[in-house]
Amino acid sequence: MYIEVEKGIHVFVEDINPGGQNNKTIFFVHGWPLNHNMFQYQYNVLPQHGIRCVCMDIRGNGQSDKPWGGYTFDRLADDIAVVLETLKLENITLLGFSVGGAITIRYMSRYKGHRVSKLALVDAVSPSFVKDPDSPYGVPREQADALINQMYVNLPVFLSGLSPSFFNRNLGNATNDWFVNMALDSASYALIKLLQVAANENVEKDLSQIQAPTAIFHGVHDQLIPYKSAELTNQRIKNSKLFPLTNSGHGAPICQADELNKLLIDFVNS
């Protein structure tokens, strides 16, 4: 289905197992440079346990509209708010992956956790993507700028080179091709703008505003958002618990799907 989040701009939303037996719902927010299909290993399993899975493509990505603007954390959090309101979702678990983690954190702060009973962060870009005094484990700004510049030059080559560092182990050429093809469903300018926002914004001040029980799932071998960043996020969200995923890099929903699924089922039902 498509939901209008502002005049003339629609985002794609998929609702899997809307008749979930135990009335538990996870709302998934994907990360850069992917779309909602990155969570296929969750969609295959969680509905079997009565969990309704609602997922959206962030504007500019996947099947959503691809406007030139509107890629700030505030605007993307507003998009989530419109979707939750339109679908009348209540007491959900809000799950954000990578940059989607930063966006869900901003939503929790900006909307005071409205409609959300629990927050799940998976390999989240938090507290910041770029290193600064309050978040010393991010990448140097020069590295972030180099990543952005590569997208202007040759996006397919850039994505092909990124894929192996996204995963902790060699999952084969087919998985790498799947990753690249999914990313190429996005507008190239949207990918650039999202990474620019991640490099220039942060959620450091948002973390202390989160009141909901929070589970932080993070790959200990993450090369993009170091595990120490997850430890820092854990320290700054009062009611949070950190779950290390010992066989995962940045792509935990794919690298370690079985364990993550079990942890999510336990968290949702706790």
Side-chain angles (χ1 to χ4, degrees):
M1 75 182 81
Y2 287 89
I3 293 176
E4 189 174 45
V5 291
E6 61 176 322
K7 187 175 181 180
I9 298 174
H10 300 77
V11 297
F12 176 78
V13 178
E14 189 164 5
D15 192 347
I16 304 168
N17 192 34
Q21 298 170 1
N22 60 7
N23 203 30
K24 303 288 187 180
T25 299
I26 300 179
F27 187 92
F28 292 84
V29 183
H30 68 84
W32 175 94
L34 305 173
N35 59 53
H36 80 278
N37 288 309
M38 66 159 292
F39 295 113
Q40 64 177 341
Y41 298 114
Q42 284 65 59
Y43 307 149
N44 292 344
V45 174
L46 300 183
Q48 297 178 36
H49 297 266
I51 297 173
R52 179 183 181 185
C53 297
V54 184
C55 43
M56 66 178 279
D57 285 341
I58 296 170
R59 63 170 65 204
N61 297 266
Q63 298 177 59
S64 289
D65 287 350
K66 298 172 174 63
W68 178 253
Y71 296 97
T72 66
F73 286 165
D74 282 354
R75 179 61 252 183
L76 296 170
D78 292 345
D79 289 354
I80 292 174
V82 174
V83 174
L84 297 184
E85 175 70 26
T86 302
L87 296 178
K88 302 290 189 274
L89 297 178
E90 298 281 358
N91 298 316
I92 65 166
T93 296
L94 180 60
L95 184 152
F97 167 79
S98 190
V99 171
I103 297 165
T104 59
I105 289 168
R106 177 59 52 84
Y107 173 87
M108 295 297 289
S109 171
R110 189 168 171 82
Y111 288 90
K112 297 179 172 30
H114 185 51
R115 300 183 179 272
V116 176
S117 61
K118 296 178 181 179
L119 177 65
L121 301 174
V122 184
D123 299 322
V125 176
S126 171
S128 69
F129 176 51
V130 171
K131 183 183 299 184
D132 67 32
D134 291 325
S135 183
Y137 307 115
V139 301
R141 175 157 298 279
E142 296 77 14
Q143 183 177 342
D145 290 343
L147 290 173
I148 293 165
N149 289 336
Q150 287 177 57
M151 287 189 283
Y152 283 101
V153 177
N154 193 323
L155 183 61
V157 168
F158 167 71
L159 293 169
S160 296
L162 178 68
S163 178
S165 65
F166 198 87
F167 304 110
N168 180 45
R169 49 203 169 89
N170 184 4
L171 298 179
N173 290 334
T175 299
N176 291 333
D177 290 345
W178 171 73
F179 173 93
V180 172
N181 289 334
M182 201 185 317
L184 291 174
D185 280 339
S186 301
S188 56
Y189 53 83
L191 295 182
I192 290 169
K193 287 171 179 285
L194 281 168
L195 199 57
Q196 287 174 330
V197 166
N200 290 290
E201 295 192 32
N202 62 62
V203 292
E204 293 165 7
K205 294 180 180 178
D206 301 87
L207 299 176
S208 62
Q209 306 301 312
I210 297 173
Q211 303 298 321
T214 301
I216 302 167
F217 308 101
H218 209 97
V220 299
H221 304 291
D222 195 330
Q223 298 179 46
L224 301 175
I225 309 298
Y227 185 74
K228 284 187 175 293
S229 287
E231 293 178 330
L232 196 55
T233 299
N234 178 216
Q235 293 170 18
R236 295 183 181 178
I237 299 179
K238 295 173 186 175
N239 194 13
S240 66
K241 184 175 180 181
L242 177 59
F243 296 86
L245 297 170
T246 57
N247 195 33
S248 289
H250 189 62
I254 298 144
C255 283
Q256 215 166 335
D258 289 348
E259 183 171 348
L260 179 60
N261 288 344
K262 290 174 184 174
L263 290 169
L264 284 173
I265 292 167
D266 289 344
F267 180 58
V268 166
N269 290 318
S270 63

